[in-house]
Amino acid sequence: MTHYDLMDYYLENKTLGIKLSIEKVLKGGWTDSYSHITRGIEIYRTSLGNNEILGHATHLIGYGNIGIHSKGKGRLKMGAGIAVLTEKFDLDKNIKNANIGSNLNAGVVFEYSFPFIVKGNMAISPSIRFTHYSNGSYKLPNLGLNVVSAGIGIERHLVNESIVSDVVPKSLEKQRLSTGITIGRSQYSNPESDIYNNYNFNLHYINSSRSKLIWGIGTDIHYNESYHNYAKNDPNSKNSLTALESTRTGLTGITGFTLGATEIHINVGYYLYDKQKLDGALYQRLYLLTRLGSGFRFKVAIKAHNAKAETVEIGINKDLWKN
């Protein structure tokens, strides 16, 4: 399915996909706070509902599986990686594809599964999944493609061990104040416009609770060069806004969870200052933080406005204080 109704009439067929994945059960350390933890890689190929206009997608992702109920039997998979789409927008060859402007994209997967043993090390795993393809507005158009599917898989456990654990989560509660910068690149107005840099500066207070859940609050300062150069009558005018007027400042709420040295955050923010108000007052950011040492964390993020991606970002965060 598409983000916007204007593309729905191109969807002629149901999607059909096939996947192959391999994963490893993790034990010891922080993983003992969960009933079941695995990590793995997946290769997946699927049709997109219209072979001529939308083509097919093939992705390679890294993912984690978390046991969320029934002592680890009910699992939530979350993963991200690269995706190649066979068809993209082209003014001459495929003008009807208003969804994606590039063959190379990012792929994001959320999947719920409930495997059950049928014999020995063999298991059947029914699942429901949501797959999203987007280039983060690096190349317009970028309305995005979503694939919602139900499936069934066959699992073979190479190590004969139970997937059920009665481990009681350890007590954990930490607080920190961190700051960081991320950089991305995107187009803003149309597929023929230039690609510009985006910058984000943040100051966040984070609390990690005993249940491994994260909550917090913070402020973001956004500067988008293409937003700075945007003007209604002259998109290429570099004098349309001053640097200050093209800076957007927001207040954001933070939630997420921690997986050892890695954290996944979901932020929803509100612009306190936005001169042009082209994208609305609300913004969202989904990102992954991985601890590097000495208080530094590597960050990969995608920023959006009501499911419309603005940019994919990478950067560094630094803990200023922690308790």
Side-chain angles (χ1 to χ4, degrees):
M1 66 185 198
T2 57
H3 270 329
Y4 300 93
D5 294 340
L6 64 92
M7 289 297 295
D8 284 349
Y9 65 93
Y10 288 141
L11 302 181
E12 298 177 344
N13 306 303
K14 302 294 184 181
T15 61
L16 180 64
I18 185 171
K19 68 175 180 179
L20 176 66
S21 60
I22 183 169
E23 61 185 50
K24 180 181 179 180
V25 177
L26 304 180
K27 290 187 174 182
W30 65 270
T31 64
D32 288 341
S33 297
Y34 296 88
S35 58
H36 181 78
I37 288 285
T38 66
R39 64 184 177 193
I41 57 173
E42 170 190 287
I43 184 168
Y44 179 71
R45 182 172 174 84
T46 181
S47 60
L48 297 171
N50 188 312
N51 293 342
E52 182 180 353
I53 297 174
L54 302 177
H56 293 73
T58 303
H59 73 228
L60 178 67
I61 66 166
Y63 67 85
N65 251 331
I66 305 174
I68 57 175
H69 66 83
S70 301
K71 297 182 179 180
K73 291 183 179 179
R75 303 176 189 173
L76 179 64
K77 173 192 283 187
M78 295 168 288
I82 59 173
V84 176
L85 276 58
T86 58
E87 301 295 335
K88 66 175 182 176
F89 172 82
D90 188 282
L91 282 173
D92 299 319
K93 300 178 181 180
N94 195 6
I95 197 172
K96 292 182 179 180
N97 186 347
N99 280 279
I100 294 291
S102 62
N103 293 116
L104 184 64
N105 295 270
V108 178
V109 171
F110 296 92
E111 179 182 274
Y112 170 79
S113 62
F114 195 93
F116 54 92
I117 302 295
V118 292
K119 184 179 180 181
N121 290 340
M122 301 298 294
I124 298 295
S125 180
S127 63
I128 299 174
R129 74 157 40 200
F130 171 82
T131 308
H132 174 74
Y133 298 120
S134 167
N135 63 35
S137 292
Y138 177 79
K139 183 65 176 177
L140 296 177
N142 185 55
L143 300 184
L145 284 167
N146 301 323
V147 180
V148 179
S149 58
I152 189 164
I154 300 175
E155 297 183 2
R156 183 184 178 191
H157 303 151
L158 300 181
V159 178
N160 188 15
E161 60 184 357
S162 172
I163 64 171
V164 177
S165 172
D166 293 317
V167 173
V168 177
K170 298 177 181 178
S171 175
L172 174 67
E173 189 159 8
K174 296 182 178 179
Q175 304 172 67
R176 71 175 188 267
L177 182 68
S178 67
T179 187
I181 180 173
T182 56
I183 302 174
R185 286 176 64 78
S186 67
Q187 290 180 309
Y188 192 82
S189 56
N190 62 71
E192 301 301 315
S193 63
D194 293 330
I195 299 174
Y196 294 96
N197 291 334
N198 308 288
Y199 303 93
N200 172 260
F201 303 90
N202 65 74
L203 180 66
H204 291 168
Y205 166 79
I206 303 294
N207 183 84
S208 301
S209 68
R210 291 182 175 89
S211 62
K212 299 285 188 177
L213 296 179
I214 289 171
W215 63 268
I217 192 170
T219 183
D220 297 307
I221 300 175
H222 314 264
Y223 178 75
N224 186 326
E225 288 182 344
S226 59
Y227 191 79
H228 170 65
N229 296 334
Y230 179 86
K232 290 183 179 180
N233 297 323
D234 185 6
N236 296 316
S237 173
K238 296 186 177 181
N239 299 315
S240 57
L241 290 176
T242 65
L244 178 61
E245 289 174 330
S246 60
T247 299
R248 294 173 286 179
T249 303
L251 184 67
T252 185
I254 304 164
T255 187
F257 55 91
T258 177
L259 299 170
T262 300
E263 297 177 356
I264 297 176
H265 291 204
I266 301 173
N267 296 11
V268 177
Y270 179 84
Y271 289 124
L272 300 176
Y273 176 81
D274 181 6
K275 178 71 174 181
Q276 293 197 100
K277 299 180 175 64
L278 297 176
D279 297 312
L282 294 177
Y283 64 93
Q284 304 84 40
R285 182 176 274 107
L286 171 66
Y287 59 91
L288 180 146
L289 283 170
T290 298
R291 191 163 58 237
L292 299 176
S294 301
F296 287 95
R297 300 169 191 265
F298 176 70
K299 183 176 182 179
V300 179
I302 181 168
K303 182 190 175 188
H305 299 90
N306 300 321
K308 179 184 177 183
E310 178 180 327
T311 185
V312 174
E313 307 165 328
I314 61 173
I316 292 289
N317 270 35
K318 176 69 170 69
D319 295 340
L320 302 177
W321 165 86
K322 59 184 177 181
N323 182 20

